[in-house]
Amino acid sequence: MTTSRTRTRQRLSAATTALAALALTLALLVGLPWVLWQAAGVPWPDRVSSLSELAVRLTQPMSDPLLIELLALVGWVCWAAFACTVIREITWYATHVPQLVRDRGAHDLHLASTTLKGSLAALCIGTLIVALLALWRPQNAGAQPFAPIQESGSHPTVTAPFTPSPAGARLSTTPHPATAAGGVTRGSLPEYTVRDGDTLWDIARQHLGDGLKWPRIYALNKDRVQDDGTCLTDPELIRPGWRLAIPATHSTPTPSSPLHDHAHTQPAPETTPAPISTSPAQQAPTKDTRDGHPARTGPADPAPSRSGPHDMGATQRPAPATIGLGQAGLIGVTLAAGLLAARRYWHWHQRRLHDPETDTDIPALSPLVEKAAQAAHAATQHRTPPDPEDLVVRRTPPRPPLPVHTVSIGVRDNTEVPLDELATSNGCAWTGPGAEGAARALLVGILTAAERQRPGRPRVTAIVPEDLADALLPGLPPQFSALTQCADTTEAIQAAELHLLARARARHEHEHDAMNPSPGPNEQHPTRAADLGTLLLLTAPQSVHAGQLLALASRSDPDAVIVLTLKTALPGAERWHIAPDGATTRPARPAHPVTPLRLFHLTPDAGHEMTDVLLTAHGRRPHLRVLPIPSPAPSPTPRRPQSQPEPTPDDEAPDSSDPPLAPEPPAPARGKPVRLHIFGPITLYARGNPDPIGTQLRPEVHEFLALLAAHPAGLLASDIAEKLHLDPASDQNALKNLRRAVRRALRAATGITAQEFILRQGEFHKLHPDLVETDLAEFTAALNREFHPANATSHSNSLAAVQEALDHYRGPFAQGSDYLWADAVREHLAVKATDAALRLARAAERPDAASEHREAVLALLEHLGAVHPDHERLAQHTIRLCQAAGRHDAARHAYTRLERHLADLGLEPELPTKALIASRTAAPRTTSTR
């Protein structure tokens, strides 16, 4: 009830102010002329009929009646000027009412900018208008001043349309004093002025090097009031003239220097992390870590007991360069970054191969891959200094990965060692019990580096004999990504020699082209030697191959070819003895002292799980090969049976194969005190208030609420700390701060003080089901009604249930946020939504389907196509229904949109999709007769 009393006081104060302002305005407009009329009457003398009489009258001695008449004339002139100013101010305030509704501070800014003679009219009219607006809609009791945002980390699923950025767009790097209410000044960050045709994708690709990082720009500017009084609320809608702050990155210069594209180079000292270089495939959608969180300040975000976590020195710990997988092995951050890049392709191909009629759900990723991706995501975020106002403390993230084309083999002095270390004269030989595990990790590192460079060409490739490839990574096709398998060692040596010949030919053509700089119009630009990259020859040779391998190894070059042998050392080769844990014993080099080197290593099971992800990221299945002759090499690890997908947790939407549930009555709109929207941007609403609340909450609070909303049955504190990547030394204190921030914000907005919005039973946390409702719960309930037996034979009932569900599906889960844990939830919900629409689409394509049913289903498909423009099955059904309805332009538009978004992934539509358009666009040929 505190909110009701507060609003009553606000309304009374506004009414008093309005009456006072109105009385003062009327006194000046009506009372002043009445006083002048009563005191002096008409100021113009009635006995003067010409200019000569006026001149004679002015030359007469000054008398008291004449002086009074002159003063009255001056008074009438001042009143007329005041009346004109009032009319001008009424016009200004009438045209700026929408801005005043959003921001009452616009009145103060206008009053400060007016001249002295117009300030009285502006004060009267402005105070009256603002008081009437406050009387009509008082300020939200829970509202707080906007706080500045720094960078937020990002690769959900990208929904921003792609439009080429106009030439000549400039970026201002001068510090901008954009001061929000409350006296908080935004830091010095480079600014970009939006031009016509720009999108967040274009701006991120131009200034951050990757279009998938557009959520960082959105999170940094979504609460910033622009010059026209509006805010960025829709990531797909930005207006020309807006000024957007560009988040700082590892490759972003200081404000004193302009931003520019630059090549990434390896750091000279091994203790300095290499700069991050990302590709469009490197960032996966929607994840969050501590380093990517904005630093906000505000009175409603309490941080009690803040001194505890920060005094522990959690941020002073050195950042690791490795990711331990337990007994499964050890990998580097660079390899993990490749797995992170492959996750996006993995999700896309899983959706493409998913059949809503037969498949129950998309299988989950391997826990090893998820752990590596989470660490790589944390490593790629921008590092910010610790803020004493932070509510939570995240775990220390690993070091940034090496550039995209780099392959790392191990770690030395907590720094990743690149592949160039193997380029020794006469080759390098790995022996010992850990040689196979290290070679397996090396091949996986080459494959994951190729994922970071997609859709470009990999810089490092490998050639391996089939028998050795089956022992290390069984199930790979003969030609896959950056790995080529040859029949035997002899064929592998020949392939390596052909690679050297190709480099020599390319170098010769490049020199010839330099001497003849004017090629013919039909001549193609010759291939450069650097474009061919580095080739790694990995083999376990026999004695008959020693001569050929030795001749090839003598030409070892980190930019051309590297020869690595297992178990067998060539004459004069450098021998590395590798222990099971990757510890390496190697001879000292004259120019380089021997320092401890630990190679990355993987067990066969871990290598199998990672190659399964890489295969699926290319839309391929494990390749089973039958060898005609048993190989003397160790028998390959047998393929494990494909694990069945885990059942859907109780806190997620039930699977379509589950028993049908009884229909639930639809929940009343906004029947509970708080409503949480997590489809699209995370937004909070209070009952009876159409404006969002909690806009001042920190991003970690929004992430906390989204996590609890995704698991309505509740989560343990340990699970929350794991998903939010909290520091184990302060996770309990962080959870306490998050609960308190939610409590204060929602209590101030709703006036409910006797109940908790987050129920806590020991270590168990969940949203209060009687106080908080979510669009996810209503979406799930509507889909459950679709599977009810009563809807199995009624297309109209099933269509109504799906329409109700998709009304809540306004965008991907937590759109614009960068939470890694949300990927699985986002994909699960996207599959549920698209499967329901695809089932309706198949029914609508039947010949006996009603035209009204087809139009309704087509509207649903177009809605989902805008949310998931790269979903090829949705595009196929949309094209067919549009063509059946005679809307061929709409069908062509759906295909063009799909083609454009797949091109961003380096892919293209399938042949059946192309055939749908080709069959309609091919003009029939007619023969003319004479």
Side-chain angles (χ1 to χ4, degrees):
M1 302 308 160
T2 304
T3 304
S4 300
R5 291 195 298 269
T6 302
R7 291 187 174 180
T8 302
R9 288 195 299 269
Q10 289 180 349
R11 291 182 186 275
L12 290 176
S13 177
T16 303
T17 305
L19 291 176
L22 180 62
L24 178 60
T25 305
L26 292 178
L28 294 174
L29 286 178
V30 180
L32 181 61
W34 183 83
V35 171
L36 293 175
W37 179 275
Q38 294 297 326
V42 179
W44 189 260
D46 54 356
R47 293 186 299 275
V48 177
S49 59
S50 64
L51 293 177
S52 59
E53 293 182 3
L54 178 61
V56 172
R57 181 68 180 270
L58 293 176
T59 57
Q60 294 177 358
M62 184 67 65
S63 60
D64 292 341
L66 180 60
L67 182 60
I68 293 175
E69 290 179 357
L70 291 177
L71 291 176
L73 180 61
V74 173
W76 280 104
V77 172
C78 293
W79 174 84
F82 176 75
C84 294
T85 308
V86 168
I87 295 174
R88 184 188 63 189
E89 293 301 326
I90 291 176
T91 304
W92 188 92
Y93 279 97
T95 56
H96 289 76
V97 167
Q99 181 178 353
L100 291 170
V101 172
R102 291 188 297 267
D103 183 12
R104 310 289 166 81
H107 162 64
D108 299 330
L109 295 177
H110 175 68
L111 187 62
S113 61
T114 55
T115 60
L116 181 61
K117 64 179 182 179
S119 59
L120 180 59
L123 178 63
C124 295
I125 302 302
T127 304
L128 177 61
I129 296 296
V130 171
L132 291 177
L133 290 177
L135 185 63
W136 168 55
R137 180 182 292 182
Q139 291 282 13
N140 183 16
Q144 296 191 6
F146 290 115
I149 305 179
Q150 294 181 6
E151 182 184 2
S152 177
S154 109
H155 354 215
T157 305
V158 174
T159 60
F162 172 77
T163 306
S165 191
R170 294 181 302 156
L171 190 69
S172 172
T173 58
T174 57
H176 56 283
T179 304
V184 181
T185 303
R186 201 177 289 263
S188 297
L189 288 176
E191 276 189 351
Y192 175 80
T193 301
V194 178
R195 297 195 174 189
D196 190 20
D198 279 350
T199 63
L200 293 182
W201 177 285
D202 300 330
I203 300 172
R205 187 179 63 172
Q206 180 180 358
H207 301 294
L208 299 182
D210 190 351
L212 294 175
K213 295 181 180 179
W214 67 266
R216 303 187 182 184
I217 303 178
Y218 173 76
L220 185 61
N221 295 274
K222 65 179 180 179
D223 292 334
R224 178 183 180 184
V225 180
Q226 300 293 333
D227 294 338
D228 57 356
T230 59
C231 295
L232 175 60
T233 57
D234 186 355
E236 296 187 6
L237 177 61
I238 55 176
R239 299 179 180 178
W242 280 4
R243 293 188 304 169
L244 302 180
I246 305 299
T249 61
H250 292 279
S251 58
T252 302
T254 59
S256 59
S257 60
L259 269 71
H260 59 280
D261 295 332
H262 59 281
H264 295 279
T265 57
Q266 297 184 15
E270 295 182 348
T271 58
T272 303
I276 299 178
S277 176
T278 57
S279 65
Q282 182 176 352
Q283 295 289 341
T286 61
K287 304 129 233 169
D288 204 330
T289 60
R290 181 187 189 285
D291 293 301
H293 276 318
R296 293 172 176 252
T297 56
D301 282 349
S305 304
R306 295 188 188 103
S307 59
H310 293 281
D311 289 343
M312 295 178 184
T315 58
Q316 302 299 325
R317 290 174 297 193
T322 59
I323 301 172
L325 303 178
Q327 297 182 353
L330 179 74
I331 61 175
V333 182
T334 302
L335 189 154
L339 293 175
L340 179 63
R343 289 174 80 255
R344 184 186 182 200
Y345 293 96
W346 186 90
H347 284 300
W348 186 87
H349 281 288
Q350 288 287 6
R351 291 199 307 266
R352 183 179 65 86
L353 301 173
H354 177 72
D355 187 356
E357 300 295 338
T358 59
D359 298 340
T360 57
D361 204 352
I362 291 180
L365 275 169
S366 165
L368 296 179
V369 177
E370 287 288 5
K371 181 178 181 180
Q374 184 168 354
H377 175 263
T380 56
Q381 301 305 306
H382 175 62
R383 282 152 169 79
T384 56
D387 187 353
E389 299 294 328
D390 285 343
L391 296 179
V392 300
V393 177
R394 309 281 180 168
R395 300 174 188 170
T396 303
R399 290 194 174 194
L402 299 178
V404 292
H405 60 272
T406 306
V407 177
S408 58
I409 62 173
V411 62
R412 180 195 296 120
D413 294 335
N414 201 28
T415 303
E416 290 189 80
V417 178
L419 181 67
D420 301 352
E421 193 92 0
L422 299 179
T424 60
S425 59
N426 298 328
C428 184
W430 286 0
T431 60
E436 285 194 2
R440 185 179 296 108
L442 175 59
L443 293 182
V444 173
I446 293 175
L447 294 176
T448 54
E451 295 301 307
R452 298 177 67 193
Q453 300 171 72
R454 290 178 66 178
R457 184 175 181 177
R459 290 278 299 276
V460 179
T461 57
I463 293 181
V464 186
E466 287 182 355
D467 54 350
L468 183 58
D470 285 335
L472 299 177
L473 298 175
L476 288 180
Q479 180 67 43
F480 173 69
S481 185
L483 178 64
T484 301
Q485 301 183 34
C486 298
D488 51 23
T489 302
T490 301
E491 185 176 336
I493 295 174
Q494 294 175 355
E497 292 174 346
L498 291 177
H499 174 78
L500 288 178
L501 290 176
R503 287 184 59 88
R505 185 182 302 110
R507 188 183 301 106
H508 174 73
E509 292 177 354
H510 179 70
E511 294 175 354
H512 177 74
D513 184 66
M515 297 176 62
N516 301 275
S518 301
N522 297 327
E523 293 186 24
Q524 297 182 355
H525 186 74
T527 303
R528 297 182 305 173
D531 296 337
L532 298 176
T534 303
L535 177 67
L536 171 71
L537 174 59
L538 176 63
T539 180
Q542 299 178 357
S543 57
V544 294
H545 305 122
Q548 292 177 297
L549 282 176
L550 189 60
L552 190 64
S554 62
R555 306 188 62 182
S556 293
D557 185 351
D559 296 327
V561 65
I562 297 176
V563 177
L564 175 63
T565 61
L566 294 183
K567 299 184 178 180
T568 303
L570 300 176
E574 186 173 291
R575 298 171 180 263
W576 293 14
H577 183 272
I578 304 172
D581 62 349
T584 304
T585 304
R586 49 183 291 193
R589 298 183 185 178
H592 301 280
V594 177
T595 55
L597 171 65
R598 188 180 183 187
L599 295 180
F600 302 135
H601 55 282
L602 290 172
T603 61
D605 289 342
H608 166 74
E609 293 177 353
M610 293 183 181
T611 52
D612 273 356
V613 173
L614 296 174
L615 285 168
T616 309
H618 288 264
R620 308 180 71 170
R621 296 301 185 189
H623 178 77
L624 301 180
R625 181 189 299 111
V626 178
L627 298 178
I629 301 176
S631 172
S635 60
T637 305
R639 278 298 306 269
R640 300 180 304 172
Q642 182 69 26
S643 58
Q644 298 297 329
E646 297 180 3
T648 305
D650 296 338
D651 52 1
E652 296 181 0
D655 198 273
S656 59
S657 61
D658 295 340
L661 303 177
E664 301 177 6
R670 301 196 181 179
K672 298 177 182 179
V674 177
R675 181 175 179 82
L676 175 60
H677 285 179
I678 53 178
F679 284 122
I682 303 173
T683 315
L684 279 167
Y685 294 92
R687 181 173 53 192
N689 185 6
D691 297 329
I693 63 172
T695 55
Q696 80 288 347
L697 290 175
R698 294 173 177 269
E700 53 263 32
V701 181
H702 282 166
E703 182 180 5
F704 179 56
L705 290 173
L707 180 61
L708 294 180
H711 299 82
L715 280 175
L716 291 174
S718 58
D719 295 332
I720 298 175
E722 180 65 26
K723 292 182 180 296
L724 300 185
H725 210 60
L726 301 179
D727 190 347
S730 60
D731 55 353
Q732 294 299 325
N733 191 39
L735 291 177
K736 183 195 302 181
N737 293 341
L738 293 174
R739 292 193 304 267
R740 191 170 300 184
V742 173
R743 182 193 308 124
R744 291 198 177 184
L746 298 186
R747 282 183 176 180
T750 62
I752 299 176
T753 59
Q755 293 178 290
E756 293 287 345
F757 293 90
I758 297 179
L759 296 179
R760 181 190 175 196
Q761 299 175 353
E763 295 296 315
F764 200 73
H765 294 69
K766 64 180 295 187
L767 293 176
H768 198 302
D770 297 331
L771 299 181
V772 182
E773 63 182 9
T774 65
D775 54 354
L776 173 58
E778 297 174 356
F779 168 83
T780 304
L783 286 186
N784 289 344
R785 287 193 291 275
E786 182 200 5
F787 298 108
H788 189 259
N791 298 335
T793 57
S794 176
H795 294 303
S796 60
N797 293 341
S798 180
L799 176 60
V802 175
Q803 284 178 331
E804 181 183 352
L806 295 186
D807 284 342
H808 301 291
Y809 195 78
R810 291 173 293 272
F813 177 84
Q815 182 181 9
S817 303
D818 199 14
Y819 313 141
L820 189 63
W821 61 264
D823 280 357
V825 180
R826 181 181 295 111
E827 293 298 327
H828 174 78
L829 296 176
V831 167
K832 293 300 180 185
T834 53
D835 282 0
L838 292 178
R839 283 190 290 267
L840 293 178
R842 291 182 178 179
E845 292 175 4
R846 297 174 182 172
D848 57 344
S851 59
E852 297 82 1
H853 183 77
R854 290 181 177 178
E855 290 296 331
V857 173
L858 184 57
L860 295 180
L861 292 178
E862 291 176 347
H863 168 68
L864 284 178
V867 178
H868 301 289
D870 58 348
H871 199 296
E872 192 160 2
R873 295 293 180 266
L874 287 175
Q876 289 177 354
H877 288 284
T878 302
I879 293 172
R880 282 195 285 263
L881 289 178
C882 286
Q883 291 174 346
R887 298 164 55 182
H888 301 291
D889 290 341
R892 184 68 187 178
H893 172 72
Y895 177 81
T896 304
R897 179 178 59 186
L898 173 69
E899 188 178 35
R900 182 175 67 250
H901 282 82
L902 291 185
D904 294 337
L905 296 172
L907 305 171
E908 59 181 15
E910 296 177 319
L911 291 179
T913 309
K914 295 180 180 179
L916 291 176
I917 295 296
S919 61
R920 293 288 181 176
T921 56
R925 297 183 180 180
T926 58
T927 58
S928 59
T929 58
R930 297 183 179 179

